[in-house]
Amino acid sequence: MAVTFTTSAGSAGGVQSSYALELTAALEGQFADIADNSVSTFVNETGAVVAYGNLVVVNASGSVGNSAKTIAAANNTVVGINALTYVDETATDANSRPGVKDDQVMNVLSKGVVAVYCAEAVDLTSAVRVFHTDHNSTLSGARPGRFGKTAVQNKTAVLAGARWVSKTSAAGIALLEINGPDLSLTADT
């Protein structure tokens, strides 16, 4: 049986012999592939759920050396992106996004390609910015730890060491490549 690649969505039932040319669905924090990823274990000691796909930083208030939290300021030290590796369906953050419960370990991607939520359309040439302060009242989905391309004074920072490897025509899931461990932020002031 020959395998063909088409732009079709495929058909239900039986053996699939036709595949779409592009990934049409992904979840925040999902790995795009298994090639050359660097993943480290951190602990959520925030008292809340840390959502998958969020940019996470060192949690200086934690009791262990590898404590991490969702970004909260442009001067935070970046450790990577909270990777989707296990889903406890009872663990959701204040915005009903799945994530890692308090006092649980998180797998943090510091190098590789991961699906993240972008609050606006991006393409391969767009700047990579992260929201460290909530901007959801003006731009839907623009919450701390999520991504965008447009500078918002005192609410976003440029993430150096990252680039978009897919595009979106509107807000939604995009693939982001990060090349840690030397990830850094520059505040949009």
Side-chain angles (χ1 to χ4, degrees):
M1 175 164 76
V3 175
T4 60
F5 294 91
T6 66
T7 56
S8 71
S11 60
V15 176
Q16 183 175 349
S17 62
S18 181
Y19 299 89
L21 293 173
E22 294 182 9
L23 177 68
T24 56
L27 301 172
E28 287 183 83
Q30 183 176 353
F31 292 107
D33 57 39
I34 58 171
D36 199 23
N37 293 325
S38 291
V39 180
S40 299
T41 301
F42 285 83
V43 178
N44 174 7
E45 295 183 293
T46 64
V49 170
V50 175
Y52 294 119
N54 274 6
L55 185 78
V56 292
V57 298
V58 171
N59 180 7
S61 300
S63 63
V64 296
N66 63 334
S67 185
K69 65 179 184 174
T70 297
I71 186 174
N75 64 351
N76 289 160
T77 302
V78 177
V79 293
I81 295 173
N82 187 16
L84 173 62
T85 51
Y86 170 77
V87 177
D88 176 347
E89 294 187 10
T90 66
T92 56
D93 71 359
N95 301 302
S96 300
R97 295 171 56 215
V100 176
K101 289 181 178 179
D102 184 44
D103 290 327
Q104 299 292 314
V105 297
M106 358 182 209
N107 292 308
V108 177
L109 180 76
S110 62
K111 181 179 181 183
V113 180
V114 64
V116 297
Y117 184 85
C118 188
E120 57 192 325
V122 294
D123 63 35
L124 279 60
T125 64
S126 300
V128 177
R129 286 188 161 83
V130 62
F131 289 91
H132 55 78
T133 303
D134 197 293
H135 191 57
N136 190 59
S137 62
T138 304
L139 182 62
S140 182
R143 300 199 183 276
R146 283 185 159 177
F147 298 85
K149 68 177 180 183
T150 305
V152 180
Q153 186 177 22
N154 300 320
K155 293 188 177 188
T156 59
V158 174
L159 178 60
R163 68 183 180 117
W164 298 109
V165 293
S166 73
K167 65 180 186 173
T168 63
S169 57
I173 300 293
L175 296 179
L176 182 67
E177 179 180 29
I178 59 173
N179 292 300
D182 298 322
L183 301 166
S184 63
L185 298 167
T186 302
D188 290 315
T189 56

